[in-house]
Amino acid sequence: MLKNSAAKRPKKLKVSHNVSLLSAVPWIGPALLLILLVVIWPVIELIRTSFTDISLAGSLLDFNGLTNYRDLLANADLYPVAKRTLVWVFGIVFFTVLLSLPLAQLINQNFPGRKYVRWAMIFPWAASVVMTSMIWTWILDAYSGELNLTLTHLGLISEPVDWVNNPGSSFYFLMWVAVFVSVPFTSFVLLAGLQSIPADIIEAASVDGATSWQIYRRIKFPLLRNALLIATMINLINVFNSFPIIWVMTRGGPGYDTDTTTTFAYKLAFIESNMGQSTALGVFNFMIILVIVGFYLRITKATRTEL
Amino acid sequence: MSTKVKKITGKKVATIVCAYFIAWLFVYPYINMFLTSVKSHDELYATPTTYLPRVWQWRNYIDVWDNAPIASFLKSSLIVSLSATILVLIVSVPAAYFISRYRFKMRGPFLLLVLATQMFSPTALIIGIFREVDFFKLLDSYLALIILNAGFNLAFAIWLLSGFFSSIPVEIEEAALIDGCTRMQALRRVTLPIALPGLVTAVIFTFVAAWNEFTIALTIMSSVDKKPIPVGITQFIGQYDIAWEFLFTSTIIAIIPVVILFISIEKYLVGGLTAGSVK
């Protein structure tokens, strides 16, 4: 796929080579400054704070070595939260990809009204996740929600069930909302991948008598590999960082029963004023993201050199 | 015409039914949101509840302005999103242009840094962000929120725009340079107009991302009248008797414009978000 797009470029793209670094400053300097200020500074500040004894707004930094990390690892609440985070991330990404693959195929077909179907899928992508979480909270409400209303009509339940606050079901409904907001983006990335497959390859295969399942399995799916990998990486990061869904629907509660490491770190810092453990967890979280970003950068390397 | 009719097979019908059902599934929560926003308060809490409003209470869309500070939420959202968008544009256009036209030392590392920042979400760094904003004594200020929103959305704009600039032949600019334009003039008069779809996409994407941003605003904004709408409306939830009808009139007002904006740039979204590695 990448080779193909490279071939389409004009043969001699004239660019000025090896201009001095100094001449680059007025052009890329502001961008660099903004990135340093907004991204790099907080990273350094987070790491620095994790080795100190400090309150949220405190300015006195007393170096205390690995105490925060030791405290965090001694915190018995961390382990169920960490385990749940694994379920959260892999569960959501797995189901998102599983649903998006056929969906991308579907919206790549030619049928009347296709445009409107694609538009419909933009809604969860464009709308604020906070607001989407709120409407799901309402739909799942025990007495006023449409889920229970419908289930009652169908005779599937006789008593209203409080889906969001029920410890058994709560977390799965949070995961459902996360899948709901992740599928549109993922489907569009896969759709872009499908669209980049040259039509003549498909035609040649179908002339040779391949069934549509064979074409998908043997030609389209292998060519989708790159799109699939990238969509998966971006989803892994987004889902791991996901904050508003849990925050709006359950606040991670009751207790820490629906927390992931991301909401747990936030809670420790801003609700429980436990800065030490929160910064230590923040650094762990950041390292996990760094690993995924590393993979992502490797995959996209080919495109970057082409740019 | 007649061949078109013949083409409609059972498989095609299944595709259409399936696609429309899925489309409905994705819009359903927002339809529910809308229907809830035009019910009366009593009707919302009546059991059993109903699918459609018994009385369509359009008045909610007028009353909400008096019953909740959504005017100030929307104002804050507009100030922050528009300013962040302008800042992103000012900073990203020269950077994107330069990396697409010149090869320089540290170009690779710079691209790497930009791409990496796109993947870092503010959520993971929130404590660092809070302490930095506190250090500059900018807690509860629009300025901090604007700069942070711009910074975290810069990468998308740079990627998208450099892709657009790279696809514009250098020869077009060279002609302008021969005619006596400076590089900057060539960029402004020749290249930017051609890259207009890219600029529009970058503008809309940044605006929508800033409009929807939650975590940073939740953490650094404390005055009620300065909170942007996603944070502001969470205050409805804390109340004992949640005014869901006003909550959802507010969210409908906030969602509809950004959905329309996003639909208008659908074609270009994927390219910027995946660093051009898919499309």
Side-chain angles (χ1 to χ4, degrees):
Chain A
M1 179 165 35
L2 290 171
K3 270 181 204 147
N4 190 53
S5 61
K8 267 190 235 152
R9 301 222 155 184
K11 270 217 172 118
K12 261 193 190 168
L13 186 72
K14 273 189 269 174
V15 286
S16 314
H17 281 275
N18 294 321
V19 295
S20 80
L21 203 55
L22 203 64
S23 65
V25 169
W27 298 81
I28 67 168
L32 202 57
L33 183 71
L34 194 55
I35 290 172
L36 289 177
L37 209 60
V38 168
V39 185
I40 306 302
W41 181 317
V43 171
I44 294 169
E45 182 64 24
L46 174 70
I47 296 172
R48 195 171 72 111
T49 323
S50 76
F51 296 108
T52 58
D53 181 16
I54 193 168
S55 63
L56 186 59
S59 52
L60 261 178
L61 294 158
D62 293 325
F63 184 77
N64 71 351
L66 293 172
T67 312
N68 294 332
Y69 290 89
R70 266 195 293 269
D71 287 351
L72 175 70
L73 293 175
N75 185 343
D77 291 323
L78 174 70
Y79 298 94
V81 169
K83 223 158 76 186
R84 194 173 311 111
T85 308
L86 285 177
V87 177
W88 173 261
V89 172
F90 290 107
I92 292 167
V93 175
F94 175 78
F95 282 106
T96 299
V97 170
L98 196 69
L99 293 171
S100 301
L101 276 169
L103 209 52
Q105 184 69 21
L106 183 71
I107 57 173
N108 195 32
Q109 307 290 315
N110 246 323
F111 60 86
R114 178 176 73 176
K115 188 170 74 177
Y116 302 106
V117 173
R118 289 188 186 170
W119 286 4
M121 288 176 65
I122 301 256
F123 271 77
W125 187 5
S128 137
V129 178
V130 172
M131 298 173 194
T132 303
S133 306
M134 284 173 168
I135 187 59
W136 277 108
T137 307
W138 178 246
I139 292 169
L140 300 170
D141 186 87
Y143 297 98
S144 313
E146 273 192 2
L147 179 67
N148 277 345
L149 178 66
T150 307
L151 291 178
T152 312
H153 280 322
L154 295 173
L156 294 172
I157 55 166
S158 49
E159 286 285 302
V161 184
D162 193 349
W163 303 106
V164 176
N165 297 310
N166 185 331
S169 61
S170 179
F171 195 61
Y172 299 106
F173 280 97
L174 297 179
M175 287 178 68
W176 157 251
V177 176
V179 170
F180 177 81
V181 296
S182 307
V183 163
F185 160 73
T186 313
S187 302
F188 274 96
V189 173
L190 293 174
L191 173 67
L194 283 173
Q195 286 169 337
S196 73
I197 299 172
D200 42 352
I201 301 183
I202 310 291
E203 256 168 55
S206 94
V207 167
D208 290 345
T211 64
S212 40
W213 171 246
Q214 280 173 327
I215 290 175
Y216 187 76
R217 180 72 195 79
R218 298 288 164 93
I219 299 170
K220 287 187 185 169
F221 191 75
L223 286 173
L224 264 185
R225 204 188 79 107
N226 218 31
L228 192 61
L229 265 174
I230 283 164
T232 307
M233 294 290 162
I234 295 179
N235 270 314
L236 280 176
I237 293 176
N238 284 348
V239 172
F240 181 73
N241 279 322
S242 168
F243 175 79
I245 298 172
I246 297 177
W247 201 253
V248 168
M249 294 180 76
T250 65
R251 285 264 165 134
Y256 304 116
D257 284 353
T258 51
D259 267 320
T260 63
T261 51
T262 298
T263 56
F264 188 50
Y266 194 90
K267 227 184 219 176
L268 284 173
F270 296 99
I271 308 284
E272 301 178 2
S273 306
N274 190 341
M275 280 298 285
Q277 291 190 27
S278 178
T279 48
L281 184 55
V283 171
F284 278 137
N285 284 343
F286 182 68
M287 307 249 261
I288 291 169
I289 295 165
L290 218 51
V291 171
I292 311 174
V293 170
F295 277 114
Y296 179 77
L297 292 178
R298 272 185 63 170
I299 297 169
T300 53
K301 198 177 169 196
T303 332
R304 257 198 331 280
T305 46
E306 191 190 305
L307 188 75
Chain B
M1 191 66 200
S2 60
T3 51
K4 246 187 186 171
V5 174
K6 266 184 213 157
K7 268 190 191 164
I8 296 174
T9 59
K11 203 180 141 207
K12 192 136 198 173
V13 172
T15 304
I16 294 173
V17 170
C18 209
Y20 288 1
F21 175 72
I22 284 164
W24 178 82
L25 216 60
F26 279 111
V27 206
Y28 160 71
Y30 307 96
I31 293 174
N32 188 296
M33 187 185 276
F34 168 72
L35 292 175
T36 309
S37 75
V38 287
K39 284 182 180 176
S40 71
H41 191 75
D42 294 338
E43 204 178 311
L44 283 179
Y45 285 97
T47 39
T49 181
T50 51
Y51 290 105
L52 293 174
R54 261 180 239 113
V55 184
W56 291 68
Q57 185 120 328
W58 295 103
R59 228 186 49 212
N60 287 347
Y61 279 86
I62 296 163
D63 293 348
V64 65
W65 301 92
D66 297 324
N67 283 281
I70 74 156
S72 79
F73 297 158
L74 287 170
K75 194 189 91 196
S76 304
S77 280
L78 271 177
I79 292 174
V80 171
S81 309
L82 285 175
S83 314
T85 306
I86 293 167
L87 185 55
V88 163
L89 214 52
I90 293 173
V91 173
S92 68
V93 168
Y97 181 75
F98 199 78
I99 60 175
S100 76
R101 286 289 185 261
Y102 295 94
R103 296 291 175 268
F104 53 98
K105 234 188 214 168
M106 306 302 287
R107 181 175 178 275
F110 177 72
L111 288 177
L112 211 65
L113 183 70
V114 171
L115 193 54
T117 59
Q118 182 172 13
M119 308 304 286
F120 292 165
S121 100
T123 315
L125 305 173
I126 195 70
I127 297 169
I129 291 171
F130 181 89
R131 288 189 49 84
E132 182 190 7
V133 175
D134 185 44
F135 173 83
F136 285 110
K137 299 275 166 272
L138 285 174
L139 284 174
D140 202 27
S141 73
Y142 287 140
L143 183 64
L145 205 50
I146 290 164
I147 294 175
L148 286 161
N149 270 301
F152 280 102
N153 290 303
L154 184 64
F156 175 88
I158 292 182
W159 275 113
L160 186 89
L161 290 175
S162 56
F164 267 92
F165 291 148
S166 296
S167 69
I168 298 170
V170 188
E171 285 76 9
I172 296 181
E173 279 170 31
E174 275 167 356
L177 290 176
I178 289 165
D179 291 345
C181 283
T182 63
R183 264 284 180 197
M184 208 36 123
Q185 284 171 327
L187 169 63
R188 221 177 50 223
R189 297 193 191 153
V190 181
T191 313
L192 283 187
I194 303 176
L196 196 64
L199 290 173
V200 172
T201 305
V203 163
I204 290 180
F205 181 83
T206 312
F207 181 85
V208 172
W211 184 262
N212 288 338
E213 199 287 323
F214 178 64
T215 317
I216 301 175
L218 174 75
T219 312
I220 69 169
M221 304 306 278
S222 45
S223 320
V224 174
D225 62 322
K226 282 190 191 164
K227 287 182 180 177
I229 190 144
V231 178
I233 54 167
T234 56
Q235 290 174 343
F236 287 84
I237 298 259
Q239 292 162 7
Y240 167 69
D241 186 17
I242 302 175
W244 290 99
E245 72 279 27
F246 293 136
L247 173 63
F248 290 135
T249 44
S250 311
T251 57
I252 287 285
I253 292 170
I255 284 176
I256 297 301
V258 294
V259 168
I260 294 171
L261 286 175
F262 243 48
I263 285 175
S264 69
I265 57 165
E266 175 220 311
K267 235 170 47 181
Y268 303 105
L269 274 175
V270 171
L273 282 171
T274 57
S277 41
V278 176
K279 214 171 188 175

